[in-house]
Amino acid sequence: MRSVEEQQARVAAAAVAPRPVRVAIAESQGLMCAEEVVTERPMPGFDQAAIDGYAVRSVDVLSVGDGAGEISLPVMGSIEAGARTPSRLQPRQAARVQTGAPMPTLADAVLPLRWTDGGENRVRILRSVRSGAYVRRTGDDVQPGDVAVRAGTIIGPAQVGLLAAVGRDRVLVHPRPRLSVMCVGGELVDVSRTPGTGQVYDVNSYALAAAGRDAGAEVNRVGIISTDPRELRETVEGQVNRNEIVVIAGAVGGAAAESVRTVLSELGEMEVSRIAMHPGSVQGFGQLGRDRVPVFLLPANPVSALVVFEVMVRPLIRLSLGKRQPMRRVVQARTLAPISSVAGRTGYLRGQLMRDQDTGEYLVQALGGAPGASTHLLATLAEANCLVVIPSEVDDVRTGETVDVAFLAQRG
């Protein structure tokens, strides 16, 4: 029986990131930048007012507050944001300016409106202002040659804004790996049909497709596929040729699964083995097709399939996205009830993670690991916000003991 760590290492060795592609910046959010975005122009590209007020020469208002009384200056006009006609300020003049408006020549400061009487033809100055105050100078944010977004940066809202600010409408990124999800099983029907005697809804293709999107993949949910050898080969071969990762649920255990593995072996290397974990001990992994695409065979049970996806498939997706840390964040938490695990296998048990408001300590309530409880209840997995990780050498955890807990995606 292979350890979880050994199987994860085999999977990680197969990770191949898709070639970088150039996309519109509106489509780049959440992806990793694949180039150094170097700015060609300063930002801002001209001296501009940082607030609404009056553009002045600071030397003309220095005496305000020094016993010389109030000063009033003639207002030579108004400059709006977006104004394209250059303007020039004469000594002992002011110009009304909007936020973002280009500064007139000779003006070196902006007086906030609250420091004036707001006059239109002549403005009374109530306070002095230092040179450079409330002015955004050319290149204050970015100078030509500066790197606006570095390669390896995950593009978020701020990066999208910066790309737009430096005039980039497209950017080179590591694209989302394409993931194909399908399932086999004569008992399966799609959710659009009413199951008959002995039939059940296809849960896996929907749940695993959602898990793939959550991990960051571009998902193609194929759904239920035929186990007829010719049709099966055509379907799988087609998906392998157009995706970076393929997942087939229901392809381990039973006679039908054996026939599936026979067909897949014609396309490349495929191994079904026991992994020292539960649930989902029996699982398959191989590399098929001319490009040796990673292909996973998952159990038919939805809980087991989702756990195997979380432990094995999700890290591969994250690696293909270029993530440096593909695993979930893990914290230590104190158990609120006893937990039973399977000796000799690492347990991944769903749970609810909480935090003590007074001490800040993490607390966890296992949902599927109480003595005698089933590990295959999908409803309790839906309630979980974490996976409790029980080491293979431990089969019983007492109340109050500390365990490792992996965060699952937050529900918003």
Side-chain angles (χ1 to χ4, degrees), residues 40-180:
E40 299 177 356
R41 301 181 182 85
M43 188 180 78
F46 54 91
D47 292 353
Q48 60 182 237
I51 60 170
D52 290 355
Y54 293 87
V56 297
R57 299 194 318 156
S58 59
V59 68
D60 291 337
V61 297
L62 281 177
S63 59
V64 177
D66 292 338
E70 296 176 351
I71 292 176
S72 64
L73 299 176
V75 179
M76 50 92 59
S78 179
I79 306 173
E80 298 180 350
R84 303 180 67 179
T85 303
S87 56
R88 182 181 179 89
L89 197 68
Q90 298 298 324
R92 299 194 60 77
Q93 278 188 341
R96 184 74 177 260
V97 290
Q98 292 181 354
T99 302
M103 292 287 289
T105 304
L106 295 187
D108 66 342
V110 176
L111 273 165
L113 285 175
R114 65 181 182 278
W115 294 359
T116 72
D117 68 348
E120 294 184 4
N121 298 317
R122 194 170 189 90
V123 59
R124 188 155 52 94
I125 313 299
L126 308 178
R127 288 181 57 176
S128 62
V129 67
R130 59 179 174 78
S131 178
Y134 304 107
V135 176
R136 294 183 65 210
R137 296 293 187 188
T138 302
D140 268 356
D141 285 347
V142 176
Q143 293 283 351
D146 286 350
V147 177
V149 180
R150 296 194 177 278
T153 301
I154 302 301
I155 297 176
Q159 286 73 30
V160 172
L162 190 53
L163 289 167
V166 300
R168 289 290 295 269
D169 62 339
R170 302 181 74 81
V171 62
L172 195 67
V173 297
H174 295 287
R176 303 183 190 279
R178 292 166 297 182
L179 168 70
S180 177

Side-chain angles (χ1 to χ4, degrees), residues 392-404:
S392 58
E393 65 272 14
V394 176
D395 55 3
D396 285 299
V397 179
R398 294 189 297 270
T399 301
E401 290 188 342
T402 299
V403 293
D404 286 341

Side-chain angles (χ1 to χ4, degrees), residues 179-235:
L179 168 70
S180 177
V181 177
M182 60 194 91
C183 57
V184 294
E187 77 282 11
L188 300 176
V189 295
D190 192 72
V191 294
S192 60
R193 296 175 53 193
T194 301
T197 302
Q199 293 183 318
V200 296
Y201 285 125
D202 164 28
V203 173
N204 278 325
S205 72
Y206 287 95
L208 296 172
R213 295 187 193 96
D214 180 72
E218 179 184 322
V219 178
N220 173 33
R221 189 191 69 83
V222 179
I224 306 166
I225 62 174
S226 170
T227 54
D228 173 78
R230 185 180 60 82
E231 293 183 22
L232 176 64
R233 176 176 176 133
E234 289 180 356
T235 301

